[in-house]
Amino acid sequence: PPSEVQLAIRRGEPNPLLLRDENDFPRFLSVVMAHPPQLPSPVARVFARQRLADREREQAIMNDMVREPTEKRIRGLTTPTLIMWGQLDRVISPATVPVLQKLLPQAKVVVFDGVGHMPVMEAPETAAQAYLAFRRGR
């Protein structure tokens, strides 16, 4: 199912995941996180510069995702899988979770309330607990 970001791109709007300059970084954080941290400006500049340096590679990855949907690669895998998803994910729709559950019969799903695209960064303790429980087989 299309996400907010995917719909914006389809409308011809600039991809909010690809920075055009350092000033785009706060907007980027607000798209990928429900509650972005307040970063000191020197730290934000370092992160922004890294994203700008990786822009071409990130665009190639996004192109690959559109060209070769994940569904074809994972359908029927029986590998135990932990799916961690943010309920407020604007990058990849949370409505994708049931699709993944059908494709991955051994999947365990944890949806994080009030979290965006980056549960491991937004809810690190909860994500770590979910991961450890998954590893223990619970």
Side-chain angles (χ1 to χ4, degrees), residues 11-25:
R11 289 190 301 268
E13 297 172 19
N15 186 333
L17 302 176
L18 299 175
L19 276 60
R20 293 177 300 261
D21 58 41
E22 289 179 20
N23 296 324
D24 278 348
F25 191 69

Side-chain angles (χ1 to χ4, degrees), residues 24 34 41 48 52 54 59 61 63 71-72 74 124 126 129 131 136:
D24 278 348
S41 57
L52 287 165
D54 290 341
Q59 181 64 65
I61 290 168
N63 291 345
E71 292 90 332
K72 292 179 182 178
I74 66 172
T126 309
Q129 290 169 0
Y131 172 74
R136 287 190 299 268

Side-chain angles (χ1 to χ4, degrees), residues 1 3 12 20 25 33 35-38 41 46-47 49 52 65-66 77 79 81 87 94 110 114 117 121 128:
S3 68
R20 293 177 300 261
F25 191 69
M33 298 177 125
H35 306 285
Q38 295 296 319
S41 57
V46 169
F47 286 135
R49 288 177 186 156
L52 287 165
M65 288 173 60
V66 171
L77 288 177
T79 307
T81 305
Q87 170 208 21
V110 179
H117 185 67
M121 293 188 71

Side-chain angles (χ1 to χ4, degrees), residues 70-125:
T70 304
E71 292 90 332
K72 292 179 182 178
R73 295 185 196 150
I74 66 172
R75 182 182 311 279
L77 288 177
T78 58
T79 307
T81 305
L82 174 62
I83 299 171
M84 294 194 289
W85 217 279
Q87 170 208 21
L88 302 175
D89 192 335
R90 298 168 59 196
V91 177
I92 303 175
S93 172
T96 303
V97 171
V99 174
L100 292 175
Q101 285 178 297
K102 285 182 182 178
L103 294 168
L104 297 165
Q106 298 295 319
K108 174 175 176 24
V109 175
V110 179
V111 177
F112 296 82
D113 292 336
V115 171
H117 185 67
M118 304 176 77
V120 173
M121 293 188 71
E122 286 189 82
E125 292 93 11

